[in-house]
Amino acid sequence: MKKIKNQTDRLVEETLEGYTMMHSDVIKLNPGTHQVVRKERKNSDKVKFVLGNGAGHEPAVIGWVGPGMFDMNIVGDVFTAPSADKIVEGLEVLNDGSPILLAVQNHSGDVLNANMAFLKAREKGIDVRKVLFYDDVASAPKGFEEERRGMGGMLFYTKIVGAFLEQGGDIENAIALFEKVRDNTRTFSVAFTQCTHPVTGMKMVDLPEDEIEMGMGVHGEGGGANRIPMPSSEELAKKVGTILLEDGPYESGDDILVFINGLGSTTMMEQSILYRDLVRFLEGKGMNVAGSYCGNCLTTQELGGVSVSFCKVDDQTLELWDAPCSCGIFRK
């Protein structure tokens, strides 16, 4: 394992210190914590938006904190959800009497700790509400959406709901909007190469040179049951695009947002070629690509591969997607 690091037991702290230094115009690290927050707090009359997640997936989601996106990311250890107590500490820092929207990835540890934190925070008088990310079609069949993992499509919810809250949106309508975006979002991932755990050096994913894993999860879940020979980009776009369209609420004439997320080592050359082929695929189905984002955004160390996310938008959600924001991953 060759990785740039100092002390293994300070991987997370040094990552957060370095990333917040890099983007010090919009975010900062609260001293002595794993709380990445906006440099300038949102006004006290506006709903706050927060997520807790494990480290190791950078720039997710420390790079999603800033005006128009999250107010805080509470970061756990590598690939480990933050504890309930750490989440409560973060909620107490954010608490100014206005409601707080706690977003939770639908992974067992994240859900367990967030549920405990939710109850503790409510006991302390904090007005916190809870919403659940789930968009990965590979993790549960159609009709069992609430059992699915939260994956790359989370970027759509975060950007759209974050913009709504930045504009002064209320908590009830924010929850309804979050659920609306979630219902219109689908994600499917494909892994090409292996990766290693940054602490142990053990292989998290081990793939044959000539095969890829269809439907792999963000922590390397997959297990070899869905391996196929490496296809061309056009073939891959058709395979993944078909899976997403058949699962989601998509019809000819829809406006669609497309997010190609590199899983770690996927080059912009590869992402650009795949994006080209996905756009052509969608246009062939009578759909309009109304917006997009490509980049290594929700990663698993040096894993090669992509997740592809579609989101159907209307006038409201498209306007919010295009609204200004300022965070580590992009500035609109």
Side-chain angles (χ1 to χ4, degrees):
M1 179 179 68
K2 297 178 181 178
K3 291 184 183 288
I4 298 173
K5 61 179 182 177
N6 295 309
Q7 298 169 273
T8 298
D9 61 358
R10 281 192 48 80
L11 275 175
V12 177
E13 287 76 12
E14 293 183 358
T15 298
L16 301 183
E17 289 167 4
Y19 195 85
T20 53
M21 291 167 64
M22 194 187 319
H23 300 284
S24 60
D25 58 326
V26 291
I27 58 176
K28 64 180 182 178
L29 179 64
N30 281 340
T33 75
H34 287 185
Q35 300 165 7
V36 176
V37 296
R38 292 168 49 147
K39 182 179 180 180
E40 302 293 336
R41 285 182 67 112
K42 189 184 287 176
N43 291 342
S44 60
D45 60 342
K46 292 184 177 181
V47 176
K48 310 307 183 290
F49 196 19
V50 60
L51 172 74
N53 73 296
H57 302 294
E58 293 76 26
V61 300
I62 54 178
W64 304 15
V65 177
M69 297 279 276
F70 284 121
D71 293 275
M72 175 184 285
N73 179 205
I74 305 160
V75 185
D77 292 330
V78 176
F79 304 140
T80 304
S83 69
D85 288 341
K86 294 298 183 185
I87 296 173
V88 173
E89 289 173 10
L91 295 175
E92 287 179 315
V93 169
L94 278 184
N95 185 34
D96 57 11
S98 61
I100 301 173
L101 186 59
L102 173 63
V104 184
Q105 293 176 264
N106 198 18
H107 298 265
S108 56
D110 296 72
V111 172
L112 176 64
N113 291 353
N115 285 344
M116 293 172 59
F118 174 81
L119 294 175
K120 290 183 177 182
R122 299 285 286 191
E123 289 175 356
K124 290 176 175 287
I126 300 174
D127 183 8
V128 59
R129 315 292 178 90
K130 185 161 51 74
V131 285
L132 191 63
F133 287 114
Y134 51 81
D135 54 281
D136 176 27
V137 304
S139 53
K142 191 174 179 63
F144 294 85
E145 284 81 4
E146 293 186 9
E147 298 180 13
R148 291 176 171 176
R149 302 175 290 218
M151 290 281 281
M154 297 190 304
L155 181 66
F156 296 136
Y157 319 42
T158 305
K159 175 64 185 71
I160 291 170
V161 175
F164 177 76
L165 296 177
E166 197 71 33
Q167 295 172 7
D170 66 275
I171 187 69
E172 299 299 340
N173 283 313
I175 293 171
L177 179 62
F178 185 100
E179 294 172 348
K180 173 182 174 179
V181 177
R182 183 179 63 199
D183 292 345
N184 286 327
T185 298
R186 299 292 187 276
T187 297
F188 190 86
S189 63
V190 185
F192 306 151
T193 65
Q194 69 182 35
C195 69
T196 53
H197 195 291
V199 175
T200 66
M202 295 180 64
K203 290 181 181 179
M204 297 172 59
V205 181
D206 190 8
L207 288 170
E209 185 64 29
D210 60 345
E211 291 184 342
I212 66 174
E213 182 83 50
M214 300 288 284
M216 179 166 286
V218 74
H219 296 107
E221 304 95 334
N226 300 297
R227 291 181 180 173
I228 63 171
M230 181 71 190
S232 69
S233 176
E234 289 180 342
E235 292 169 338
L236 184 62
K238 183 178 180 181
K239 285 179 182 293
V240 174
T242 299
I243 289 169
L244 294 174
L245 292 188
E246 289 182 348
D247 190 276
Y250 310 119
E251 298 177 352
S252 178
D254 284 344
D255 289 328
I256 303 292
L257 301 178
V258 176
F259 173 32
I260 295 180
N261 171 57
L263 297 178
S265 66
T266 311
T267 65
M268 187 50 66
M269 175 184 285
E270 296 168 280
Q271 293 178 45
S272 299
I273 294 169
L274 181 60
Y275 178 76
R276 163 193 177 271
D277 294 334
L278 280 167
V279 170
R280 291 184 173 184
F281 170 80
L282 287 168
E283 290 177 345
K285 299 294 184 180
M287 298 179 189
N288 173 54
V289 176
S292 63
Y293 181 74
C294 297
N296 289 329
C297 188
L298 175 58
T299 66
T300 305
Q301 296 300 292
E302 73 276 20
L303 181 63
V306 295
S307 65
V308 177
S309 303
F310 292 166
C311 179
K312 182 171 73 172
V313 289
D314 55 21
D315 289 344
Q316 178 201 24
T317 48
L318 182 57
E319 181 179 351
L320 291 167
W321 171 257
D322 288 333
C325 76
S326 189
C327 62
I329 62 165
F330 55 34
R331 311 290 174 102
K332 277 182 172 279

